[in-house]
Amino acid sequence: MAPTEQCIIHGGKRLEGRVQIYGAKNSALPVIVAALMTSSPNNGSIHELLNVPDISDVRSLLRLLSAMGCQCSFSPEKKGYLHINSENIHSFSTNFSPPSLLSHNSDEFDMIARKIRGSVLLLGPMLARFGAVRLPLPGGCSIGDRPVDLFLKSLNALGANLSIDYETECIVGSCKQLVGTTFRFETVSVCATEVVLMAAVVAKGQTVIHNAAREPDVVELVRFLKTLGARIEGEGTSTITIKEALTPLRSGKETFAIRGDRIEAGTYLFAAAATGGDVVVDGVIPSDLGEVLKVLEAMGCEMSVAKNSIRLRRFGDMKPVSIRTEPFPGFPTDLQALLSVCCTQAAGTSKIQELIFLGRTGHISQIQKLGGSINISKIDKDLEPS
């Protein structure tokens, strides 16, 4: 949204209706990046993805891949249909890229990579396919500390030799052969788990990841990697095992559909709860929102689920809750702000602990401007009805 644009909201109305949920951005980004890992001829590098959200983060990533020589295009006829051909891509390591490519596209590549957080996902495929990396330190949203140390330590455990070149502000390094290993993440990280998965599927030998992220987005990436020929077990648990691939990775024969966005679905559900509404969200897997649905029920909402849809109805007053954000399957940090707003309508004081991104408090001052009573301590937020 441009700085001069405004959203004008006429409130005080009960939300009712049915809405189709788009594909999950946090699932689409790693799946799109994983498509770079195939370089087989005879269509082995062509991928067809369905339900891809046509949003700025995805468009920025596609621009980044195009600068590498990847052919990416949304279908003008089919909404959410993305075609990717990754056969003729290039790394931007000086050891692997032609000088003409470096001079022609590297500036654009660097500019985009520095702006989006998702660029860090390229570490896995670049190592897997080229054996070398030169990637600008990623940008993205400012909601707390998101260091790259986890990525470097885990990939170096697989045999890479990565470090930060502080003069160019790039992650650089190479690897002759990735080798399977066993290691434990110090903290749970979705992106780091995804990067290691993409590197480990081409490593020699078996890799075991302990304290791996359990998020649905990780499960979705594994589901895609399996269509390429990867052998992975344990996705959705804290221990994931990646076995050495029996054959080179190549694209699957069928289109791959991205799962519905649980955060988008949760946004509509909290909006319906706050307004005493009756809303159905379609195209989402209810188990992806297990803890969210429990919280909404505890607040007094009536929930009903089907295979790929959720209905929320609220009739009486809302009740206060006490929750903390946690990695999946806990309450997602990405819905903390929505819950904060909802709690201002509850009859009592709610307590929220933000334990994932301690800097995720930018919405609090705006709620206070609207009359919300919120007190912030170091890690707690107490909310009273406005």
Side-chain angles (χ1 to χ4, degrees):
M1 181 182 295
T4 56
E5 292 180 337
Q6 294 179 329
C7 288
I8 300 176
I9 302 170
H10 300 284
K13 297 182 179 180
R14 182 173 184 257
L15 296 186
E16 296 180 281
R18 196 172 201 122
V19 62
Q20 180 69 34
I21 300 302
Y22 289 106
K25 178 200 77 172
N26 289 336
S27 291
L29 296 181
V31 167
I32 291 170
V33 168
L36 303 184
M37 298 178 63
T38 59
S39 57
S40 305
N42 301 322
N43 295 334
S45 299
I46 294 178
H47 304 268
E48 309 287 349
L49 305 180
L50 298 176
N51 204 30
V52 178
D54 189 358
I55 57 176
S56 59
D57 280 1
V58 171
R59 288 281 181 175
S60 293
L61 180 62
L62 296 182
R63 285 179 57 209
L64 189 66
L65 302 192
S66 295
M68 297 175 67
C70 186
Q71 298 176 20
C72 314
S73 60
F74 274 106
S75 169
E77 289 85 22
K78 298 180 182 179
K79 188 175 183 179
Y81 183 93
L82 179 64
H83 174 92
I84 300 175
N85 186 339
S86 60
E87 183 175 358
N88 296 314
I89 66 168
H90 301 276
S91 163
F92 283 96
S93 166
T94 54
N95 296 327
F96 285 81
S97 295
S100 59
L101 178 69
L102 283 170
S103 61
H104 184 263
N105 284 345
S106 62
D107 287 346
E108 181 181 5
F109 177 87
D110 286 7
M111 178 189 68
I112 302 170
R114 294 188 194 282
K115 289 182 178 180
I116 61 174
R117 179 67 191 173
S119 63
V120 75
L121 291 167
L122 286 168
L123 285 173
M126 290 174 84
L127 269 180
R129 185 160 172 179
F130 299 105
V133 168
R134 189 199 70 83
L135 183 69
L137 291 172
C141 52
S142 300
I143 55 172
D145 189 23
R146 294 186 174 191
V148 298
D149 290 355
L150 282 175
F151 301 92
L152 303 188
K153 289 180 181 178
S154 55
L155 291 173
N156 287 344
L158 288 169
N161 183 23
L162 301 182
S163 61
I164 298 175
D165 182 339
Y166 289 98
E167 184 176 344
T168 61
E169 297 186 343
C170 287
I171 300 171
V172 296
S174 60
C175 179
K176 292 182 179 179
Q177 172 67 63
L178 293 168
V179 180
T181 188
T182 297
F183 67 92
R184 171 182 292 274
F185 280 118
E186 297 174 2
T187 58
V188 178
S189 168
V190 175
C191 269
T193 299
E194 292 167 341
V195 166
V196 173
L197 276 168
M198 288 186 277
V201 294
V202 300
K204 184 176 179 59
Q206 177 174 284
T207 298
V208 180
I209 307 172
H210 294 291
N211 202 27
R214 302 166 59 185
E215 268 72 1
D217 309 307
V218 173
V219 174
E220 193 77 337
L221 174 61
V222 170
R223 188 168 71 90
F224 179 71
L225 290 172
K226 285 182 176 180
T227 69
L228 308 183
R231 301 196 299 157
I232 304 172
E233 299 173 353
E235 64 272 21
T237 75
S238 59
T239 300
I240 301 177
T241 300
I242 306 100
K243 299 181 179 180
E244 184 175 346
L246 298 176
T247 58
L249 301 181
R250 60 178 291 113
S251 62
K253 296 180 180 180
E254 299 181 356
T255 55
F256 184 90
I258 302 295
R259 75 200 297 138
D261 194 325
R262 65 190 177 114
I263 304 303
E264 180 187 347
T267 300
Y268 286 114
L269 292 175
F270 276 115
T275 62
D278 181 354
V279 168
V280 177
V281 292
D282 291 316
V284 65
I285 301 173
S287 60
D288 288 354
L289 285 159
E291 188 63 26
V292 173
L293 302 188
K294 291 179 184 178
V295 170
L296 286 166
E297 284 185 327
M299 297 184 80
C301 300
E302 180 182 297
M303 312 298 302
S304 55
V305 301
K307 183 179 179 180
N308 292 303
S309 67
I310 303 170
R311 183 181 185 183
L312 178 145
R313 292 187 292 176
R314 199 201 102 199
F315 301 105
D317 293 337
M318 296 191 72
K319 303 173 184 177
V321 291
S322 179
I323 70 102
R324 60 183 185 180
T325 61
E326 296 177 303
F328 190 85
F331 191 90
T333 179
D334 288 347
L335 288 175
Q336 178 256 109
L338 283 301
L339 173 62
S340 299
V341 173
C342 214
C343 286
T344 65
Q345 305 306 301
T349 300
S350 296
K351 184 176 182 180
I352 301 173
Q353 290 182 306
E354 175 55 67
L355 301 180
I356 305 298
F357 296 122
L358 301 185
R360 187 166 245 160
T361 57
H363 57 288
I364 297 302
S365 61
Q366 305 306 313
I367 296 175
Q368 290 172 332
K369 290 178 182 178
L370 294 171
S373 176
I374 304 179
N375 300 312
I376 304 177
S377 63
K378 185 175 182 181
I379 62 171
D380 296 347
K381 289 193 288 291
D382 296 323
L383 298 94
E384 298 179 357
S386 55

